[in-house]
Amino acid sequence: MNVVFPTKYAAKYAATHAIRCFVILIATWAGVALAAPAELPMPTSMPGHMMLPQEHQYQRQLRAYLATLTEKDFAHGVTATLSESATPGASADPERQYRDFLLTQMPGGVPLVGSKRGRPVINNPSALYLLSSIEREKTIELPLGYPESLMTFVQWDFPGNVYRDNRALKMRCFVNASVNLMLLDDFMEKNPGARRADWRAYQLIVTGAPYPGFKDLLPPEVRQAYQEGVKKLARQIMSWGPRGEESNFDMIIPIGLWYAGKVCDDAAFSKEVEAFARVMFTDPKHFHPAGYWIDRNGPETGFAGQVNMFAAAAALASDWPFAKEAMERVYRLRSHLILPEPDGTVTGPSAFNSRLSSPAHKDQWEMGVRDAAALMLTDEAACSVKIPTAEELAGAANKRAGEYNRQIAENPLKSYGATYASYVFWPSAELPPQPWKISIFANWEFPLTVNFAYEFYRKGAYAHLAELQKKNSPMLKYPFARGETFVRDFAKAFVVARLPDYGVVLHTGPVGHQSPDEKLVQLPSPLGFGGGQLSAFWTPSTGSVILARRGGIIHQTPHDKLEEWRTWPIHAVSGVTAEGKVFTSARIVAPETEVSAGDKSGKAKVHGLLMGMRVVPDPDSTPAKPIQDMYDEPLAGKIDYTRTFDIKQDKLHIETKVKASGGDKVAELYETIPVYLRDGTGPSTTIEFQVDGKWAPATAEWQEKVAAVKLTRFDGAVQIDFDQPVRIKLSPAEWKDTVAFVYGACRNLMIDLMPAVKAGEVSAFKEASVGYKIAAAKR
């Protein structure tokens, strides 16, 4: 829109604004209710000049007020640096020290008020915040800055903070937030395809987080206009709803809406927000009662870390009981999926994940504070939190002051040099604005701009953590290291047991799936491996010697390639037909499940039909970057599958049965057991086969009449004893995970379920079965 707001109108607004404020003040003292401010007319346009959107009355009110502001409103006048030795020291309130400690923990120095990768919001020239500087000839340009981060800095209650409560910096926050709000609204109205709640909800944080800091500086009608704009955006986001494509983005919606509710200060609207959030925290479409967020219809421990960050923020900020209960369930399951290793590290299964290869301990976006935030809600998070030392607490505020000084002293790069010493940084007086553009986050390098653990800190959090430490609470350890025995059913999705000599994790619930009919980005790899499988077998001396994992999908690149199905580290019945169709129990999306869990024993039974897989070209891919989407596809006939897990005091017994209708000619059929070799370059598991009472190293060549398999790792061993001798070999190669910084390696045991069929032949087999027990053994 090529229009401009005339200077004469700005002057008129300034005069009438002063009168209106005086009338409102007198009326407020007198208890008189006032009508809404009179509507402002659409301003006239001037060719060759871009103007902020003015279609809505709230936009006109905000812009009219912006037109009254001068450079003086944005000149903070501070030339000193923050004192880095202004804290009282070790005698200070430990709660305050711990809160400041949390403020130091986010990577990259977040929240940012400067630095080469941040935004020089302190050093920006005041003139950049004037309406005449924002409305350019061809673009709308904003001063570089994160208003939500800057407000945290301005309100930081630290004796050495020379910027504390600085009015000019608060006004800078207002300009960035309000202009962004207007432009975002205009963009959404003109681009229906961009109306996605998962991609836009973070903007409610950008507009809502700084609002309490600058609202009292605004005239009542401007404050009301800002509230109307925020409410309009929030209602749009609620109308669009969660998309279901990426749970990590969808969970930004509740915390964003909470911020909007606080801005609007409307009890009825806040109830709408709470009702919307309740669905996302409780509805089985979004949250599984086992304790995980639904991701493409299945669990996802990798991206769950991002979900947990925003979910914890919403639960802390709102004190919604249903949000707190969800976080308790999430961290209870999460702790049971993190398994301690004899060398002091941890690991865990990931085969059931919809998208990433990451086990629970490698979930994304811990960001230094997420688990500490969760601990303010539930002790189930205690095993993931370390208490800071007295020295770390005492020096936290000074450390943060030093970080802020570093950020302010470093402007963004103007140009690169041959070496870092020759880099050229923007001089403060020449810092440029940036054309406004739509984005999911303000900056992909630092996608989080708010430290939720600091912002919503609950007094007593440190005292509680210290008390847990003092009592050496078992909650500070992962469940398998607490010295207790249990068999726990997580809503039929997971069964986790810790007996005196061993522990197991069974995944018995659903996995993700997709359909070409969905209006979602389709993925080129299986959305998780399930069907009811042994996800982990653990002993204190071996650690997780059996572990089900997956390669995952990164940027539409599959790391679980169909042609490598024999090496997929999953506990499954898998095979290939004469026509070359791969099929597996691991793609039974939602097996029929029966679970019984006692104090010292338990049983789980899963049942379903083996599913085939096919790949088809993605219609949105290009010749330069072809993508093959992967889908489940029934076999020509039916192969019925049942697996039973019997958890006993001293061993786990597994029995697998398959029964075919005869409609498929099968070339290969195996029961695979994923042996966990190592993380990184650690010691590798030794695998041996027993034949006629003698042990020999396992190989990728078929070995007949194998009675047992021994797995030796660290200082312990686990033995698999078959009910009947089997034909078995190792998978053709190791499976290695080089994604997500996990670097695990596995090797499958491949038990032949058609031993009578010779190589190169096919069989319309009728039924097959295998049974075995797994227990700790002597080396």
Side-chain angles (χ1 to χ4, degrees):
M1 184 187 300
N2 296 319
V3 290
V4 69
F5 204 98
T7 303
K8 64 178 182 179
Y9 189 83
K12 178 181 178 182
Y13 179 85
T16 57
H17 158 65
I19 296 172
R20 184 180 294 118
C21 286
F22 176 74
V23 173
I24 289 173
L25 181 61
I26 298 299
T28 302
W29 284 342
V32 178
L34 291 178
E39 289 194 359
L40 298 179
M42 174 71 79
T44 57
S45 63
M46 183 178 293
H49 203 83
M50 180 72 73
M51 192 183 85
L52 290 170
Q54 294 290 279
E55 296 299 321
H56 301 287
Q57 187 62 210
Y58 88 86
Q59 294 169 333
R60 299 176 198 174
Q61 289 281 1
L62 290 176
R63 187 186 179 280
Y65 179 64
L66 291 173
T68 70
L69 301 175
T70 68
E71 284 192 52
K72 185 178 179 180
D73 290 300
F74 307 110
H76 56 71
V78 180
T79 57
T81 59
L82 283 77
S83 170
E84 298 179 27
S85 59
T87 56
S91 62
D93 176 14
E95 294 295 330
R96 179 170 172 174
Q97 288 184 333
Y98 185 52
R99 189 182 184 205
D100 283 336
F101 170 77
L102 294 176
L103 191 57
T104 69
Q105 293 303 291
M106 289 186 71
V110 175
L112 293 172
V113 297
S115 80
K116 66 179 181 180
R117 291 188 177 89
R119 296 290 185 263
V121 65
I122 306 295
N123 297 338
N124 278 332
S126 299
L128 293 182
Y129 293 87
L130 298 178
L131 186 63
S132 58
S133 297
I134 293 170
E135 295 182 338
R136 301 294 177 112
E137 182 179 350
K138 296 181 180 180
T139 60
I140 299 293
E141 298 194 355
L142 280 175
L144 296 172
Y146 303 135
E148 66 280 22
S149 295
L150 176 57
M151 193 58 76
T152 294
F153 173 60
V154 173
Q155 294 183 318
W156 184 35
D157 184 11
F158 167 60
N161 185 5
V162 291
Y163 294 89
R164 178 165 166 74
D165 283 330
N166 188 284
R167 182 186 184 279
L169 293 182
K170 291 181 179 181
M171 292 303 294
R172 292 184 179 207
C173 292
F174 165 71
V175 170
N176 275 100
S178 59
V179 172
N180 182 66
L181 177 62
M182 288 187 273
L183 292 170
L184 181 67
D185 188 1
D186 186 64
F187 182 85
M188 292 296 101
E189 290 185 341
K190 295 175 180 177
N191 297 273
R195 297 171 186 169
R196 290 183 52 164
D198 57 340
W199 286 2
R200 309 302 168 214
Y202 198 83
Q203 298 298 335
L204 291 174
I205 300 174
V206 173
T207 57
Y211 179 75
F214 61 65
K215 70 175 183 179
D216 292 338
L217 304 180
L218 306 179
E221 65 271 26
V222 179
R223 193 184 311 163
Q224 180 177 327
Y226 193 90
Q227 292 172 341
E228 289 174 358
V230 170
K231 184 180 288 187
K232 182 175 186 289
L233 176 59
R235 287 196 186 282
Q236 286 178 316
I237 284 174
M238 284 194 285
S239 70
W240 302 332
R243 185 174 177 83
E245 187 168 276
E246 296 184 81
S247 59
N248 45 307
F249 285 149
D250 277 339
M251 191 44 68
I252 304 174
I253 301 172
I255 181 60
L257 290 174
W258 177 87
Y259 272 112
K262 288 301 177 182
V263 169
C264 296
D265 194 23
D266 179 334
F269 178 69
S270 292
K271 287 184 178 179
E272 290 180 45
V273 167
E274 182 174 352
F276 185 98
R278 184 188 302 274
V279 172
M280 292 193 66
F281 277 92
T282 62
D283 191 313
K285 182 179 179 181
H286 305 292
F287 183 74
H288 195 287
Y292 64 84
W293 310 102
I294 305 295
D295 193 285
R296 295 294 188 107
N297 304 295
E300 168 59 54
T301 58
F303 279 121
Q306 293 186 28
V307 184
N308 292 343
M309 172 64 84
F310 293 112
L316 277 176
S318 66
D319 206 21
W320 292 323
F322 54 82
K324 182 178 184 295
E325 180 182 346
M327 293 307 296
E328 288 176 347
R329 289 175 179 266
V330 164
Y331 270 86
R332 183 169 183 261
L333 175 61
R334 181 180 184 273
S335 67
H336 283 74
L337 296 180
I338 300 177
L339 311 178
E341 293 277 85
D343 61 359
T345 62
V346 294
T347 190
S350 67
F352 38 73
N353 283 352
S354 290
R355 290 186 284 155
L356 294 184
S357 66
S358 314
H361 72 289
K362 287 285 188 178
D363 52 6
Q364 294 197 0
W365 285 21
E366 199 285 321
M367 295 302 241
V369 296
R370 182 200 62 212
D371 296 337
L375 181 55
M376 298 179 204
L377 298 162
T378 172
D379 283 356
E380 297 289 352
C383 53
S384 297
V385 178
K386 292 183 178 180
I387 190 168
T389 66
E391 292 74 20
E392 288 174 322
L393 286 176
N398 288 331
K399 180 179 179 181
R400 183 69 237 194
E403 171 58 26
Y404 275 135
N405 282 334
R406 182 197 69 79
Q407 293 178 17
I408 295 169
E410 182 180 73
N411 285 332
L413 279 173
K414 185 176 183 179
S415 63
Y416 288 91
T419 64
Y420 184 83
S422 60
Y423 287 0
V424 178
F425 297 85
W426 281 102
S428 294
E430 300 176 16
L431 280 166
Q434 176 177 284
W436 182 86
K437 59 183 179 180
I438 192 71
S439 64
I440 300 176
F441 293 115
N443 185 317
W444 275 107
E445 291 205 57
F446 301 104
L448 273 184
T449 51
V450 176
N451 184 325
F452 297 119
Y454 170 82
E455 296 294 340
F456 305 127
Y457 184 81
R458 294 194 174 180
K459 190 169 179 59
Y462 176 75
H464 182 63
L465 177 57
E467 184 67 14
L468 291 173
Q469 188 82 10
K470 180 180 178 181
K471 292 182 177 179
N472 193 24
S473 169
M475 299 303 289
L476 294 170
K477 301 176 182 178
Y478 293 109
F480 277 21
R482 291 175 186 167
E484 58 184 357
T485 60
F486 57 81
V487 180
R488 292 171 181 156
D489 171 19
F490 290 82
K492 293 187 177 182
F494 291 90
V495 179
V496 183
R498 171 67 162 99
L499 284 307
D501 297 327
Y502 75 101
V504 296
V505 177
L506 309 179
H507 174 238
T508 53
V511 288
H513 62 89
Q514 64 185 359
S515 165
D517 299 329
E518 295 175 337
K519 295 181 179 180
L520 305 176
V521 172
Q522 300 294 283
L523 300 176
S525 186
L527 274 67
F529 295 113
Q533 59 176 302
L534 175 61
S535 291
F537 189 93
W538 173 95
T539 74
S541 57
T542 64
S544 299
V545 73
I546 295 174
L547 202 61
R549 301 287 279 270
R550 70 163 302 179
I553 308 160
I554 305 294
H555 303 305
Q556 287 294 86
T557 299
H559 293 268
D560 302 298
K561 298 178 180 179
L562 189 58
E563 63 270 21
E564 298 173 359
W565 64 272
R566 296 173 184 83
T567 65
W568 289 348
I570 55 179
H571 180 223
V573 172
S574 302
V576 62
T577 67
E579 295 77 22
K581 179 182 288 296
V582 176
F583 60 92
T584 178
S585 63
R587 286 304 305 158
I588 300 174
V589 169
E592 298 176 23
T593 304
E594 300 175 18
V595 174
S596 62
D599 293 336
K600 298 180 180 180
S601 64
K603 283 190 177 183
K605 184 178 182 180
V606 292
H607 171 260
L609 297 177
L610 301 191
M611 291 296 296
M613 289 175 283
R614 65 186 175 96
V615 293
V616 298
D618 188 304
D620 295 327
S621 65
T622 63
K625 189 177 180 180
I627 298 175
Q628 298 282 327
D629 297 333
M630 186 175 289
Y631 296 100
D632 302 316
E633 185 174 69
L635 295 170
K638 294 181 179 180
I639 301 180
D640 191 82
Y641 153 89
T642 301
R643 178 175 278 154
T644 304
F645 303 91
D646 191 357
I647 302 170
K648 299 182 178 181
Q649 184 78 349
D650 59 345
K651 60 181 176 291
L652 170 70
H653 187 266
I654 299 173
E655 183 179 49
T656 303
K657 295 181 179 181
V658 287
K659 187 175 182 180
S661 65
D664 297 280
K665 297 290 186 179
V666 178
E668 301 175 58
L669 187 65
Y670 312 110
E671 168 102 337
T672 57
I673 302 175
V675 177
Y676 188 52
L677 300 179
R678 61 190 173 275
D679 256 343
T681 58
S684 188
T685 302
T686 299
I687 307 174
E688 298 174 278
F689 292 161
Q690 186 190 61
V691 179
D692 294 331
K694 297 180 181 180
W695 294 102
T699 70
E701 301 297 325
W702 284 114
Q703 181 66 56
E704 307 289 339
K705 298 180 180 180
V706 174
V709 174
K710 181 179 285 188
L711 310 173
T712 304
R713 187 167 183 261
F714 290 105
D715 295 325
V718 163
Q719 189 162 313
I720 304 172
D721 290 297
F722 297 104
D723 295 352
Q724 301 292 331
V726 298
R727 185 172 188 253
I728 190 173
K729 67 176 180 177
L730 297 181
S731 53
E734 286 186 6
W735 172 92
K736 295 180 180 180
D737 181 9
T738 57
V739 183
F741 309 105
V742 178
Y743 305 120
C746 298
R747 191 78 181 265
N748 275 341
L749 301 175
M750 303 183 70
I751 304 167
D752 191 356
L753 295 182
M754 300 192 308
V757 179
K758 296 181 180 179
E761 296 181 356
V762 297
S763 169
F765 82 99
K766 294 296 184 181
E767 58 184 73
S769 65
V770 64
Y772 44 93
K773 68 177 182 180
I774 311 176
K778 295 181 180 180
R779 291 198 62 170

